[in-house]
Structure formats: structure tokens, C-alpha cells
Amino acid sequence: MATTSFSQSNEFEIWKNGIPNSINNRDYQEIYENEIGKISKVTNPTLTVFIPENPNGTSVIICPGGGYAYLSIDKEGYKPAQWFNSLGITAFVLKYRLPSDDIMENKSVGPLQDAQESVRLIRRNASKWNLNPDKIGIIGFSAGGHLAVTLSTQYDEKTYQAQDTTSAKPNFSMLIYPVISMTDEIVHKGSRNKLLGKNSSSELNDKYSPEKHVTTQTPPAFLVHALDDGGVSFENSMVYLAALKKHNVPAEMHIYESGGHGFGLGNKGTSQFWTEACLKWLQLSKIIN
């Protein structure tokens, strides 16, 4: 596993007493493509914790993207974790189950179950990692952004029998070129087809369109998108920002002229500066000092 001089990493399973909503399938084997840093066919979700040398008590769960078909685990997982470590933030890279009828009774809820339990697990064990249980955030890239924002708006949805009353609510969210809406107008069809199926009902589409479920209790958000994103329209970020504003939830959005889709920590376009803006937001929001 990738490490740096300022971090140490350790991977562990999320579910200790059986994975909910799971179908045993011996023929379904996880695949890691090392050359391109992608993982697919995840059956056993894990968290990989990256601990900085000088942790400040803030932590973040990282949800890599990949259209709910694979996880871009290096570019949108391990590398961002190392960047967060440089800020003193403890980072947890979430290797979540990808929706599949081959291994799940209800594929649409599987990723959310993993995200909810990840927050609960970290909050239960906050003292173990010297973390503040009230400063647990989530960041998602592309379809991982959809998972992060679904958790942010459905953290109290009962998707499995939790072992205790520990809250699954993240305290803040960061959404980087996120898939948001599942409605026809601006949907990323590949993500919707994988998560909900090709013939999903309007009711199911609405259920997994987080902009329709924002309340005054939704966590504050930082959003990033590029105008020239040819994969996921920037309007996804716009509709979520509008919903947050309507409910007086603190939010900040940066729309860059160039960057395309999938730029990770940045590229040679203007999107390369989003991490600087994010750092300022974290500081001014008093998430970190």
C-alpha cells in the first residue's frame, strides 16, 4: 500500500459480524488493476487509514469514483489521503461495494450501508485514533461524490440493523466533480444504470437524488466542478448548492473554466487550484486550525 514519509497506512474490514444485504458468490472475485490503480468487484468493504505524523483530530472518509463500476483507488483515494495527511487530517479510504445483483439482495443500498457503517465505526473508535468525533467528514469524487452526498442526506436512513445508536452523520462534506441527481435532466446515466438499473422508476430516481432530501440538518459542503466536464455536468453541483442555500446550510462552490472530468487533486487547467481553496474553507469553517 502506498505510504509517504508523513503517513502510515493500515487496511481493515468494516463489517465484523457479517456483511448485510450480501449474497455469497464464490465466482465473484475482487480485481485490482495495478497499472491504472483501479479496483472492481469489491465483495468485502474496507477502510484504509492514513495517519499523519501530527494529527489534529479531524478525520475524513474518502470515496473514490468510477461510475459505480470500479473504484479509482489510487488517484481518488490514496493520493488524496496523503494530501489530507499533509494538513494533519487522518484519512480513511473507503473501498465500498459496487452495486451488483450478483452479490447483493438490493444493489442500490449496498454502497450507502458501507458508508454509514464507516462513519459509525470511526466515531465509535475516535479515542483509538485520537480523533474528534464531531469532526468526521466525507469527500467523494464523481460517483464517489454521489455516495458522499447520499450519506450526507440519508445518514439516518435505516438500511441495516446497527449495533448501537452511534450516528452515521458526517460533520462536513467535500464533493469533487460529483454525480448528484438521478433525474433525467442532468443524470450521469452510467452511474444511475449501475446503481439503480436501466429501467429504474421515477420514485427510485427521486430517492437517490440527494438534492431532493436536503434539510436544515444537512452537513456543510464544499463543491468543485469544471465547466468543461464532459462526463458529469456541472449542473449536478449547481442543483445541490441551490438546495443547500434554500435550507440555509453553509456551502461553498468553485466552478473552474477548465479541468474536464476526473482530475483528482488537479491538472494543468485552472482546476489544479481547488485544493488551495479547500484548505482555506477547512480553516475558515474551523474544521482545522
Side-chain angles (χ1 to χ4, degrees), residues 75-76 176-177 224-226 256 259-267 271 274:
K75 181 175 69 173
E76 297 174 350
I176 316 303
Y177 42 87
V224 170
H225 229 117
Y256 294 97
H261 187 74
F263 48 77
L265 290 178
N267 57 23
S271 62
W274 77 261

Side-chain angles (χ1 to χ4, degrees), residues 8 10 12-13 47-52 55-59 88 90-92 118-132 136:
Q8 52 183 315
N10 178 50
F12 55 91
E13 297 178 357
L47 286 168
T48 299
V49 56
F50 287 74
I51 303 174
N56 56 25
T58 299
S59 61
T90 301
F92 296 83
S118 294
V119 176
R120 289 179 172 130
L121 191 156
I122 293 168
R123 190 161 275 135
R124 289 188 199 108
N125 294 279
S127 60
K128 172 184 174 181
W129 289 298
N130 295 315
L131 301 177
N132 184 337
I136 301 172

Side-chain angles (χ1 to χ4, degrees), residues 256 265-267 269-278:
Y256 294 97
L265 290 178
N267 57 23
T270 54
S271 62
Q272 67 184 297
F273 303 110
W274 77 261
T275 52
E276 297 176 19
C278 185

Side-chain angles (χ1 to χ4, degrees), residues 175-178 222-229 232-241 252-260 263 269-274 277:
L175 310 168
I176 316 303
Y177 42 87
F222 175 87
L223 298 102
V224 170
H225 229 117
L227 281 174
D228 64 350
D229 191 326
V232 178
S233 170
F234 71 92
E235 292 175 273
N236 280 266
S237 289
M238 297 284 287
V239 297
Y240 190 61
L241 180 72
E252 179 168 316
M253 182 170 67
H254 293 260
I255 298 289
Y256 294 97
E257 179 183 5
S258 59
F263 48 77
T270 54
S271 62
Q272 67 184 297
F273 303 110
W274 77 261

Side-chain angles (χ1 to χ4, degrees), residues 48-88:
T48 299
V49 56
F50 287 74
I51 303 174
E53 280 192 356
N54 299 300
N56 56 25
T58 299
S59 61
V60 64
I61 297 168
I62 304 173
C63 302
Y68 281 125
Y70 61 86
L71 302 178
S72 185
I73 200 79
D74 287 349
K75 181 175 69 173
E76 297 174 350
Y78 303 142
K79 288 182 180 179
Q82 294 168 356
W83 175 68
F84 280 117
N85 274 185
S86 73
L87 307 181

